[in-house]
Amino acid sequence: MVETLSGSNIHLVKTTSSQDMKSNDVNNRSKISPMRKAAAVSSGALVGLSGSALVGYDTFKKVTPQMATDLAYSMQHLLPNVETAEQTNKNIAKLLKDTGLKDKGVEYLSIAADGSNSQKLKEIIDANVKPTNWFMKRLNASSFNIFNKGGNAAFAPETNHILVHENLCSTAYHELGHALNANGNILTKGLQKARCLTPAGMSIVAPLVLAVGLFHNVDKTKPNSEKGFKEKTADFIKNHAAALTLASYVPMLGEEALASVRGVRQASKVASKDVVKGLTKNYAKAWGTYALVAGLVSGAVALGIAISDKIKQKKSA
């Protein structure tokens, strides 16, 4: 309380310290109505999970043959072939032998555009995406359509197969890199297994840290030394929700990058410099799509928490 003189009258002027302001902010949050809390949490959850929902929809939606054809058109423009499929097939066959992958049971299937080996592809898809229920049956059918039309390429770990459509053969060396990782030492195998943190590109960490961020309020007026382990942990998670989500993508981003590096290194042994240059450019673009997914999901989590906190803030009179 500060006294000021104005003529013969004494006026009392109340000053507010930063500590008082923080205390008022905490008190305001504690007085938020249940409806406002519900609105804050639901709005934050809607925004925070939007990135994961978008990735999940794109991954698990039903893909018809026509949709797969359209996807293949886009993929072939994103990752154009840099040599003929026949040359790629010869090079991959040689590299499988030279790297010892052939002895480890790795096989390469060049998916024919005329569908002549589609039955073989179906058998491999069935072994890796087992149609045990209605959801898996739909995913199985979608996977077959995508690979049969050239909408994607992959290394199938269950059967040790590299699946590459002849119209998307520039991806073959990258998939060879995945095969090297899966059949390599304990570090590369561990890196690939750590991708379980982001199955199908969706982080399992994202909803967990989002939940903490939406329901936990950081008490800025309370010294850190007075906080218990649980409160400190909750504070840390909320304050670093986006970073923790992004960190869960490190194994995926790292393994994809390593597969490309190893693939390009192997390609340089059998292909021309121009081909290797084209592969490097293609794989950099492909890696960028993974980084985009990681940024999208992490950014959505951060935005969801920020929106929730904004709604919770009680407007002062």
Side-chain angles (χ1 to χ4, degrees), residues 19-308:
Q19 187 71 15
D20 292 333
M21 292 177 67
K22 290 180 180 179
S23 297
N24 290 337
D25 184 53
V26 172
N27 290 334
N28 284 340
R29 285 203 300 268
S30 65
K31 296 177 182 178
I32 298 174
S33 68
M35 287 294 291
R36 194 179 187 89
K37 285 183 180 179
V41 171
S42 58
S43 298
L46 183 65
V47 174
L49 293 174
S50 62
S52 297
L54 182 62
V55 174
Y57 172 75
D58 185 62
T59 302
F60 297 114
K61 68 175 182 281
K62 182 179 179 179
V63 179
T64 64
Q66 182 57 52
M67 292 171 66
T69 299
D70 295 338
L71 175 61
Y73 178 82
S74 299
M75 287 294 290
Q76 289 157 23
H77 279 74
L78 177 67
L79 306 172
N81 287 345
V82 292
E83 63 182 2
T84 65
E86 291 76 15
Q87 186 60 54
T88 297
N89 294 346
K90 291 179 182 178
N91 290 344
I92 294 297
K94 183 178 187 306
L95 291 173
L96 285 175
K97 182 178 179 180
D98 293 347
T99 58
L101 287 176
K102 185 176 181 180
D103 294 334
K104 294 181 179 180
V106 178
E107 296 181 32
Y108 176 73
L109 179 66
S110 177
I111 304 167
D114 62 6
S116 57
N117 56 2
S118 59
Q119 183 56 42
K120 176 64 175 177
L121 173 63
K122 184 70 169 63
E123 293 172 1
I124 297 172
I125 294 294
D126 286 347
N128 286 272
V129 187
K130 298 177 175 62
T132 54
N133 53 56
W134 72 267
F135 177 77
M136 293 304 294
K137 287 180 180 178
R138 190 177 75 168
L139 185 60
N140 176 286
S142 294
S143 298
F144 173 78
N145 289 335
I146 290 172
F147 286 100
N148 194 44
K149 296 296 183 180
N152 206 348
F155 169 68
E158 291 293 327
T159 56
N160 246 0
H161 277 93
I162 296 173
L163 305 177
V164 176
H165 196 280
E166 63 180 25
N167 291 336
L168 200 64
C169 66
S170 71
T171 62
Y173 300 97
H174 172 81
E175 301 307 332
L176 178 73
H178 280 306
L180 286 169
N181 290 344
N183 292 274
N185 57 39
I186 189 172
L187 293 178
T188 59
K189 288 180 178 178
L191 183 61
Q192 194 166 74
K193 289 184 181 300
R195 294 185 61 160
C196 65
L197 290 171
T198 51
M202 296 183 294
S203 170
I204 62 175
V205 173
L208 300 178
V209 298
L210 177 63
V212 174
L214 294 178
F215 289 101
H216 177 70
N217 291 321
V218 177
D219 188 351
K220 297 180 180 179
T221 66
K222 190 176 181 180
N224 201 50
S225 59
E226 296 180 8
K227 295 182 179 181
F229 175 76
K230 288 185 179 180
E231 187 174 4
K232 287 181 180 178
T233 301
D235 285 355
F236 179 83
I237 293 174
K238 177 159 186 170
N239 292 333
H240 302 87
L244 291 171
T245 301
L246 188 61
S248 69
Y249 281 94
V250 169
M252 182 187 79
L253 295 174
E255 202 272 329
E256 287 293 339
L258 182 59
S260 290
V261 170
R262 300 185 81 174
V264 169
R265 187 180 300 160
Q266 292 300 321
S268 66
K269 299 177 182 179
V270 293
S272 68
K273 290 183 178 180
D274 286 340
V275 168
V276 172
K277 183 178 179 181
L279 292 174
T280 302
K281 182 179 179 180
N282 279 359
Y283 297 166
K285 289 187 292 183
W287 188 88
T289 62
Y290 289 99
L292 181 63
V293 168
L296 173 66
V297 176
S298 302
V301 168
L303 183 59
I305 293 174
I307 289 175
S308 178

